[in-house]
Amino acid sequence: MNASTKAYEELLIRLKNTALLASCSAVLEWDEQTYLPPEGAEHRANQLALLAGMVHEQATNPEIGNLLLELESNSSSIDDVFEQANIREARHEYDRATKLPRRLVEELSRVATLSHHAWVQARKNNRFKDFLPWLEQMIDLKREQASATGYQGKNAYDALLDEYEPGATSEMIEQAFIPLRNELVSLVSAIKNSGVTPDTSILTRKYPVEKQREFSVSAAEAIGFRFDAGRLDIAAHPFCSGIGPGDCRLTTRYDEHHFPGAFFGTLHEAGHGIYEQGLCKEHFGTPLGSSTSLGIHESQSRMWENLVGRSHAFWDYFYRPAQKLFPEALGNVDQGAFYRAINDVRPSFIRVEADEVTYNLHIMLRFELEKALISGDLKPADLEAAWNEIFFEYFGITPDTSANGCLQDVHWSAGLIGYFPTYALGNMYAAQFFIAAEKELGDLSQLIARGEFVPLKEWLNQNIHQRGKLFRANRLVEVVAGESLSHEPLIAQLQNKYSELYNL
Ligand code: ZN
């Protein structure tokens, strides 16, 4: 064994041990959101803080830096692309973790907890000015974080974006967002003027919770989520947590009088879960065994939720079982009416309830605003006015309250700045991957209508999941779809689908 082989193996052991420790917090976090009795919250916070400190210590151990230097100085002798990718991404993560002074890490965590609490109250009382002092502190800290980690080019925002979408820049995102926004604004207005208004009341009839669970589980299983290596539980905020090989936890929430929430929420989280279950076990804890980026993760959930789950073909297969399970709600509803209802498009204030056409506009609004907050072009005090102005420009309506406007999302209070664009990137990547899959597998709607989901799932396993972080997202899409990030496949897919639904 030569020196660099030895250093590489030592590096992997360190990375894997850190990931193993981090996955212990993941179990505790999942439990906190699902089963923890309220009185245990403080003890749980102490457990998580202890583990977070230990993980940070391991991840920033100077020995990792030494091993990386040794490997980098011998880089010409490493011709294995997988090893190169692991070293490249380990360096990236090590630098991010070590560049932040401990004081800043602790201050960010402290302010995030307090600011989150203030945000919950401010949203409840509908008063933006109660949240403003916390937002100001948070923006200052995030600007400090950006200058500590550093960035190429002139946008400090890129340093924050990089945490969620490694390698992405605001310039690259703008190039896709600007044309996408123009197309979407005109599509939304054409839909609004079409005079077609689907009857969505059929979705708020009575859907017994137990039956919803049964149906959601059977659909998640059908598309390829493995319940012998995962679970579905109830939580206030739906999420997917890939704890480790063989253990992926999904959550959803049920409303007896709202069918789409739990059903499409479960498909969405199962899409994330199929990605987690598709990662290579033997690479667990290293970049090659981790997802590429949040944008690529979201491409998987959105593909199963929207491109598959809200398609006509999907309901060719699933509508009869749905009618059987919910005879009271759907017995007298034909499939066409149901299909139109689940694809109802209309401008609305709340992002998480938005349809697939207006959804991306909600994201672009947030992207514009958070970029301006970080650059200093927008003062936090002027956020609400700016929000309402852009909202009107995109949607033709103005939020009636702060809670329905700039106070609606948890992200900024928690310091998650640079996160929002990954949702829209996911939608664009999903459309690009879907076309690439069809080129290889043929017309997917025919397979979907027969309930044959395995070919698509396996295609995603091979082309995306098993590659881990071998490529950055912008390169992965080139390798898989033969083109760089583009808004065109998404807009074509939406125009196609909604022209038919709304007689455009
Ligand atoms: Zn998601």
Side-chain angles (χ1 to χ4, degrees):
M1 190 188 285
N2 67 33
S4 66
T5 313
K6 191 162 166 281
Y8 182 68
E9 295 204 337
E10 264 182 57
L11 175 70
L12 292 191
I13 290 171
R14 285 188 178 270
L15 297 179
K16 287 182 178 192
N17 275 333
T18 308
L20 200 55
L21 188 60
S23 75
C24 300
S25 345
V27 184
L28 293 177
E29 278 161 3
W30 167 82
D31 176 74
E32 185 183 20
Q33 305 283 326
T34 48
Y35 294 108
L36 183 74
E39 285 222 0
E42 200 183 326
H43 183 64
R44 179 56 44 88
N46 293 337
Q47 293 174 314
L48 286 170
L50 175 68
L51 283 168
M54 290 165 73
V55 168
H56 184 74
E57 206 177 300
Q58 285 200 15
T60 54
N61 188 310
E63 191 48 35
I64 295 181
N66 296 336
L67 292 167
L68 284 169
L69 280 176
E70 189 180 335
L71 289 163
E72 286 158 350
S73 68
N74 291 316
S75 62
S76 55
S77 68
I78 299 170
D79 51 10
D80 182 309
V81 289
F82 297 99
E83 283 188 26
Q84 285 168 0
N86 259 344
I87 295 167
R88 178 193 73 219
E89 295 304 323
R91 160 62 72 193
H92 186 71
E93 283 159 31
Y94 180 74
D95 283 352
R96 274 201 79 83
T98 49
K99 275 181 183 166
L100 291 181
R102 197 189 171 114
R103 177 201 51 80
L104 182 57
V105 173
E106 286 171 0
E107 187 66 359
L108 270 165
S109 150
R110 192 185 66 85
V111 171
T113 306
L114 296 171
S115 144
H116 176 77
H117 184 75
W119 167 75
V120 171
Q121 287 304 316
R123 189 171 73 148
K124 208 167 111 196
N125 300 330
N126 213 358
R127 279 153 60 110
F128 173 64
K129 72 179 176 57
D130 292 355
F131 177 55
L132 180 59
W134 294 101
L135 181 66
E136 284 169 338
Q137 274 197 61
M138 185 53 88
I139 297 296
D140 285 346
L141 288 170
K142 295 306 278 189
R143 293 177 66 164
E144 200 185 331
Q145 181 188 332
S147 58
T149 49
Y151 47 93
Q152 289 177 336
K154 57 180 173 29
N155 298 311
Y157 180 80
D158 291 358
L160 305 176
L161 181 62
D162 186 81
E163 192 171 344
Y164 312 107
E165 201 63 21
T169 63
S170 26
E171 202 183 334
M172 161 196 148
I173 291 176
E174 273 158 14
Q175 274 173 11
F177 275 16
I178 293 169
L180 179 63
R181 183 183 62 211
N182 296 337
E183 300 274 12
L184 286 176
V185 168
S186 55
L187 181 59
V188 171
S189 115
I191 289 173
K192 210 170 152 188
N193 297 329
S194 70
V196 180
T197 44
D199 173 15
T200 54
S201 71
I202 53 177
L203 302 175
T204 54
R205 291 176 177 175
K206 191 174 170 187
Y207 293 85
V209 166
E210 248 325 292
K211 303 275 178 200
Q212 284 193 50
R213 183 183 148 79
E214 188 185 330
F215 193 47
S216 301
V217 166
S218 74
E221 205 158 30
I223 64 170
F225 181 79
R226 291 177 39 219
F227 280 88
D228 55 351
R231 297 181 50 90
L232 173 67
D233 295 271
I234 295 175
H237 305 285
F239 64 89
C240 160
S241 175
I243 289 169
D247 189 359
C248 178
R249 315 284 174 106
L250 313 179
T251 65
T252 192
R253 57 183 168 204
Y254 300 97
D255 175 346
E256 194 171 58
H257 289 281
H258 189 242
F259 171 79
F263 185 76
F264 291 108
T266 304
L267 278 188
H268 179 98
E269 300 308 334
H272 283 302
I274 290 168
Y275 190 174
E276 290 291 322
Q277 290 181 337
L279 296 170
C280 284
K281 265 184 195 179
E282 64 273 23
H283 293 305
F284 170 75
T286 73
L288 284 175
S290 314
S291 56
T292 314
S293 70
L294 286 192
I296 299 296
H297 227 304
E298 197 66 7
S299 76
Q300 303 303 290
S301 55
R302 299 273 163 178
M303 186 185 292
W304 290 109
E305 177 194 357
N306 290 330
L307 301 182
V308 177
R310 287 183 207 269
S311 70
H312 202 282
F314 185 85
W315 293 99
D316 285 343
Y317 183 71
F318 271 109
Y319 196 60
R320 240 170 231 276
Q323 278 185 313
K324 253 189 183 164
L325 273 173
F326 308 108
E328 237 180 275
L330 297 176
N332 65 352
V333 176
D334 70 47
Q335 190 189 325
F338 178 81
Y339 173 64
R340 284 188 293 277
I342 58 167
N343 286 298
D344 175 53
V345 172
R346 65 186 76 189
S348 61
F349 297 136
I350 305 292
R351 173 184 62 87
V352 294
E353 290 164 10
D355 56 81
E356 63 177 326
V357 179
T358 57
Y359 187 87
N360 295 296
L361 293 172
H362 287 272
I363 298 306
M364 291 170 199
L365 159 92
R366 287 154 178 78
F367 173 64
E368 286 306 316
L369 294 171
E370 59 182 21
K371 243 181 0 176
L373 286 169
I374 296 299
S375 72
D377 288 347
L378 176 66
K379 297 273 163 286
D382 300 326
L383 173 69
E384 182 156 42
W387 177 291
N388 292 347
E389 193 187 317
I390 304 182
F391 202 92
F392 185 79
E393 193 189 314
Y394 290 2
F395 296 88
I397 49 176
T398 307
D400 50 354
T401 62
S402 306
N404 282 338
C406 69
L407 281 183
Q408 66 182 270
D409 298 301
V410 66
H411 301 61
W412 290 337
S413 77
L416 301 175
I417 295 173
Y419 192 114
F420 280 123
T422 66
Y423 294 121
L425 288 174
N427 286 322
M428 288 189 275
Y429 285 139
Q432 292 184 273
F433 291 147
F434 201 75
I435 290 177
E438 285 208 306
K439 273 190 193 143
E440 225 172 293
L441 303 172
D443 184 359
L444 285 169
S445 65
Q446 287 190 23
L447 293 174
I448 293 169
R450 292 198 298 266
E452 292 173 23
F453 301 103
V454 176
L456 177 59
K457 188 220 150 211
E458 287 186 343
W459 186 89
L460 295 169
N461 283 155
Q462 282 162 17
N463 286 280
I464 294 163
H465 311 164
Q466 287 162 10
R467 284 185 159 132
K469 278 188 159 73
L470 178 60
F471 305 115
R472 293 272 172 95
N474 52 353
R475 179 77 190 121
L476 181 67
V477 72
E478 286 171 1
V479 171
V480 175
E483 60 177 14
S484 47
L485 172 69
S486 165
H487 71 289
E488 283 171 10
L490 174 63
I491 205 73
Q493 176 259 326
L494 292 173
Q495 277 168 346
N496 219 338
K497 175 173 173 181
Y498 289 93
S499 296
E500 198 194 313
L501 274 160
Y502 284 86
N503 308 321
L504 304 179

